[in-house]
């Protein structure tokens, strides 16, 4: 029987999902969704959805526009392209992991001309290289720059203000598109202040909801580009979604009713805490996890993928162990502690032995000190049970970070 079929059989109690999305859905969100189907033509649902728009913009730190799609993050990627680019247009794809590669591949599949800058799997975007590439684009063929703020596979966090500064220094008019699927409501992001034209994200990570909603925030500059396109696929067109004349136009048809109730509850939780406090909480908990990992790494087996703390996401941490120890550890934790860690992505193919040497810890959304310390204590137990060399005192180091705040 597969481990997933026996989750918690030895552990008992409530299992915990420590993967980098879908994240833990709070009871408050689940309870909000647990209701009979509402009227989609008039009444409370219509009034409630109107309140979501300004509150979503508060999280994105923008006064611009937002469109909601019944889609995952890949749908949000496609919507960004569909509204601003035509087949044959060139984009500059900045890649620091599997998801940057995926966004670039989608661009190719949609008929775009893709120029890539690959920064490897252990570092974020280098703004100097981006500036050089844009300066070399003498004819202005590049219409958009694609940047993953956090690549979920590598946990690399890229400096978006520095990227915008590089684009401005090059004097290049391309749109700046940011994939914030992993970072939204986890890592600090200031859409307007940082000069981002398009922000794409999804419901299933920092927004603490089930998968199913894709969000595209777009500036007036991006809206103007859309108005210049000859044709946009009706479903992906953000024009009426962002400024509907009738309620159904928010969603190009039937509303995702129960997801909308969940989003209302999730946004209430974020704004009750305060967006800046949410960012600070994620920072504190991430630093606690890193402190534990640094102690474990003293044993010589465990390694953190991103060395510089300033370049690490506050939502996910990518790690490695000598293969197959990462898979062994994940299996032990699921069976014995009721904890599920994330698999490694983008470092090796699942068919390769090396694939079993990578894993990730998700720490995004609905997470607090006791949840993180529980995961870390469980990992330490797993390392000991499997005789994986590791330094001692890791959980204490994490607790000290949390104690200091």
């Amino acid at each position: 029987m597969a481990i997933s079929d026996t989750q918690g059989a030895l552990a008992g109690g409530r299992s915990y999902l420590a993967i980098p999305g879908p994240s833990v859905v709070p009871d408050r969100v689940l309870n909000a969704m647990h209701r009979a189907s509402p009227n989609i033509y008039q009444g409370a649902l219509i009034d409630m959805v109107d309140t979501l728009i300004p509150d979503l913009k508060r999280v994105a730190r923008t006064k611009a526009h937002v469109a909601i799609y019944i889609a995952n993050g890949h749908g949000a990627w496609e919507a960004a392209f569909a509204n601003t680019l035509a087949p044959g247009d060139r984009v500059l794809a900045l890649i620091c992991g599997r998801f940057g590669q995926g966004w670039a591949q989608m661009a190719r599949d949609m008929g775009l001309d893709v120029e890539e800058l690959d920064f490897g799997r252990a570092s974020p975007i280098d703004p100097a290289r981006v500036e050089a590439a844009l300066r070399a684009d003498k004819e202005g063929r590049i219409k958009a720059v694609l940047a993953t703020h956090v690549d979920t596979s590598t946990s690399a966090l890229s400096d978006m203000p520095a990227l915008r500064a590089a684009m401005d220094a090059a004097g290049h008019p391309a749109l700046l598109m940011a994939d914030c699927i992993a970072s939204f409501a986890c890592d600090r992001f200031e859409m307007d202040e940082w000069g981002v034209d398009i922000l794409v994200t999804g419901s299933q990570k920092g927004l603490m909801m089930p998968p199913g909603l894709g969000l595209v925030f777009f500036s007036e500059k991006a809206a103007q580009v859309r108005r210049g396109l000859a044709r946009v696929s009706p479903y992906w067109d953000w024009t009426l979604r962002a400024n509907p004349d009738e309620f159904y136009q928010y969603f190009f048809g039937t509303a995702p009713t129960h997801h909308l109730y969940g989003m209302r509850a999730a946004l209430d939780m974020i704004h009750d805490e305060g967006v800046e406090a949410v960012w600070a909480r994620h920072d504190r908990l991430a630093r606690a996890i890193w402190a534990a990992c640094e102690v474990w790494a003293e044993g010589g087996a465990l390694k953190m993928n991103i060395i510089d703390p300033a370049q690490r996401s506050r939502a996910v941490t990518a790690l490695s162990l000598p293969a197959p120890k990462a898979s062994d550890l994940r299996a032990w934790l699921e069976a014995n502690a009721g904890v599920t860690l994330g698999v490694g992505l983008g470092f090796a193919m699942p068919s390769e032995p090396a694939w079993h040497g990578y894993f990730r810890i998700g720490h995004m959304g609905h997470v607090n000190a006791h949840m993180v310390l529980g995961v870390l204590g469980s990992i330490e137990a797993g390392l000991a049970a499997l005789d994986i060399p590791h330094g001692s005192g890791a959980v204490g180091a994490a607790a000290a970070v949390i104690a200091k705040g």
Side-chain angles (χ1 to χ4, degrees):
M1 183 177 292
I3 288 293
S4 60
D5 296 329
T6 62
Q7 182 174 353
L10 299 178
R14 184 171 184 172
S15 61
Y16 181 74
L17 196 64
I19 68 174
S23 64
V24 174
V25 180
D27 289 343
R28 183 171 170 181
V29 173
L30 292 172
N31 291 338
M33 298 175 74
H34 188 76
R35 64 177 67 212
S37 294
N39 187 348
I40 62 170
Y41 299 104
Q42 61 183 10
L45 177 70
I46 286 79
D47 296 337
M48 184 269 289
V49 170
D50 285 339
T51 71
L52 297 178
I53 306 305
D55 282 353
L56 284 168
K57 293 180 183 181
R58 287 170 64 194
V59 180
R61 310 285 267 205
T62 185
K63 295 180 179 178
H65 313 278
V66 61
I68 305 173
Y69 296 87
I70 304 174
N72 55 22
H74 288 71
W77 279 353
E78 183 164 335
F81 290 155
N83 282 279
T84 56
L85 299 162
D89 285 347
R90 176 172 291 182
V91 299
L92 179 63
L94 312 179
I95 297 172
C96 47
R98 176 169 172 174
F99 290 91
Q101 291 172 334
W103 204 8
Q105 185 57 51
M106 175 179 281
R108 292 190 191 91
D109 292 343
M110 294 182 68
L112 303 176
D113 178 13
V114 180
E115 178 182 341
E116 289 188 5
L117 286 180
D118 195 328
F119 303 93
R121 295 177 297 194
S123 63
I125 294 164
D126 178 356
R129 287 180 61 191
V130 178
E131 181 179 341
L134 293 175
R135 288 185 183 277
D137 182 34
K138 302 296 186 182
E139 298 177 355
R141 293 190 59 201
I142 295 171
K143 303 300 183 184
V145 175
L146 317 182
T148 47
H149 184 218
V150 166
D151 197 294
T152 324
S153 64
T154 62
S155 68
L157 170 71
S158 289
D159 187 337
M160 299 302 293
L163 177 56
R164 166 45 70 189
M167 294 177 67
D168 291 346
H172 203 286
L175 295 172
L176 176 54
M177 298 187 181
D179 173 347
C180 297
I181 294 168
S183 62
F184 194 70
C186 300
D187 289 282
R188 175 178 288 274
F189 197 90
E190 304 274 2
M191 181 175 172
D192 290 355
E193 182 180 327
W194 294 353
V196 175
D197 295 298
I198 294 178
L199 181 165
V200 300
T201 192
S203 58
Q204 73 274 21
K205 300 190 187 240
L207 283 177
M208 306 178 291
M209 292 171 55
L213 295 184
L215 305 170
V216 180
F217 298 82
F218 57 98
S219 69
E220 186 55 37
K221 177 181 175 181
Q224 184 63 35
V225 172
R226 157 64 192 92
R227 287 191 282 269
L229 293 182
R231 185 177 68 86
V232 174
S233 166
Y235 183 81
W236 295 119
D237 192 345
W238 65 30
T239 305
L240 289 177
R241 289 176 181 269
N243 188 27
D245 296 317
E246 299 182 57
F247 177 73
Y248 81 91
Q249 292 170 331
Y250 271 125
F251 313 103
F252 198 70
T254 304
T257 53
H258 291 67
H259 273 67
L260 296 172
Y261 284 116
M263 180 178 284
R264 180 65 272 163
L267 289 171
D268 287 343
M269 292 179 68
I270 289 170
H271 294 308
D272 286 349
E273 184 176 358
V275 174
E276 300 231 4
V278 170
W279 292 335
R281 170 169 52 85
H282 279 84
D283 178 70
R284 181 171 60 255
L285 297 176
R287 287 187 289 107
I289 290 170
W290 303 340
C293 292
E294 287 164 0
V295 173
W296 288 328
E298 294 171 1
L302 184 140
K303 295 180 180 179
M304 300 183 70
N305 185 53
I306 303 297
I307 302 302
D308 184 349
Q311 298 175 348
R312 296 175 188 157
S313 168
R314 273 63 178 170
V316 54
T317 298
L319 303 133
S320 65
L321 287 167
K325 294 301 184 180
S327 289
D328 292 345
L329 179 63
R330 289 191 302 102
W332 190 94
L333 285 170
E334 198 161 5
N336 294 277
V339 172
T340 301
L341 299 178
V343 300
L345 288 177
F347 293 94
M349 297 297 292
S351 58
E352 298 173 343
W355 186 85
H356 297 284
Y358 300 95
F359 70 103
R360 294 172 297 160
I361 304 171
H363 37 96
M364 53 177 58
H366 187 56
V367 63
N368 60 23
H370 84 77
M371 296 158 89
V372 163
L373 290 173
V375 169
L376 296 176
S378 298
I379 292 174
E380 185 153 299
L383 294 171
L386 297 171
D387 292 323
I388 298 173
H390 60 283
S392 61
V395 178
V401 170
I402 291 172
K404 290 178 182 177

